[in-house]
Amino acid sequence: SVGEESSDSSNVPRILVDRLADEGKSFAWKRRAGGRAEIRLQSLSEPGIDAFLLRLDPGRSIPQHGHDDDEYTLVISGSFQDENGVYERGDVCTAGAGRVHRPVVVGDEPCVCFAVNMGRMRFSSPLVAAYDRFLSRYF
C-alpha cells in the first residue's frame, strides 16, 4: 500500500546501494501513488534539486506532469515510453521546463531509474497534485 517500504535492490547497481549505506540509510523503496516507489538520495540533493531512485512496475505510469526546470532520468533497468519515444537501459530522458509528459513502463520487468529534478514536478491533474502533496508530507 501507499507509504509502505520494501527492500528489493535486485535491479539497482551495487554502487547506488552502497551509496545509500554510506548515507546511513537502509535500502527501502517508499511506495507512492500510481504504483511508483522512490528513494531520495539526500547526499545528492539540495534546495531546489532532488536526486532519487525511481521504480515503476510493468504497465504502470507516472501521471501526466510538467516541470518547473530540467529533469534528467537515466534508465538503470527495464524501459519506459513517453510522448517522445522509448527509453531503455542506459538511455537518458531529458524533460525541460514546461515539457509535459506521461512516462509508462513497457515490457515485463519493473523500470528502475536514477532521476534528478532541477525544480518541482507539477502534475496536470489538481487531484493528483493534492494527493502527491499529502503523501510527501505524511509518508
Side-chain angles (χ1 to χ4, degrees):
S1 78
V2 174
E4 289 184 7
E5 296 182 353
S6 69
S7 60
D8 179 20
S9 64
S10 60
N11 291 339
V12 178
R14 182 87 236 151
I15 192 164
L16 291 175
V17 175
D18 292 344
R19 177 84 182 206
L20 287 169
D22 290 345
E23 291 185 20
K25 293 174 100 176
S26 62
F27 192 91
W29 293 102
K30 191 168 189 179
R31 301 291 293 172
R32 300 308 244 187
R36 76 183 203 266
E38 46 187 58
I39 298 173
R40 188 164 190 261
L41 300 171
Q42 299 283 17
S43 67
L44 299 176
S45 299
E46 58 186 60
I49 301 174
D50 285 319
F52 55 95
L53 294 174
L54 172 68
R55 186 185 74 209
L56 284 166
D57 293 329
R60 303 304 294 244
S61 67
I62 296 177
Q64 185 176 22
H65 64 280
H67 302 273
D68 286 345
D69 206 331
D70 295 335
E71 175 191 57
Y72 303 94
T73 305
L74 168 66
V75 180
I76 295 171
S77 65
S79 60
F80 74 90
Q81 68 181 20
D82 69 7
E83 295 75 5
N84 291 311
V86 175
Y87 301 89
E88 298 175 329
R89 183 178 180 201
D91 291 341
V92 175
C93 174
T94 59
R99 177 178 165 209
V100 176
H101 66 147
R102 182 176 169 260
V104 178
V105 175
V106 293
D108 295 333
E109 70 176 292
C111 184
V112 177
C113 300
F114 170 69
V116 177
N117 283 338
M118 306 303 280
R120 187 172 165 94
M121 182 169 59
R122 304 266 182 202
F123 290 104
S124 299
S125 163
L127 183 59
V128 171
Y131 187 55
D132 190 64
R133 280 193 305 275
F134 170 79
L135 288 175
S136 66
R137 185 172 294 146
Y138 297 105
F139 295 101

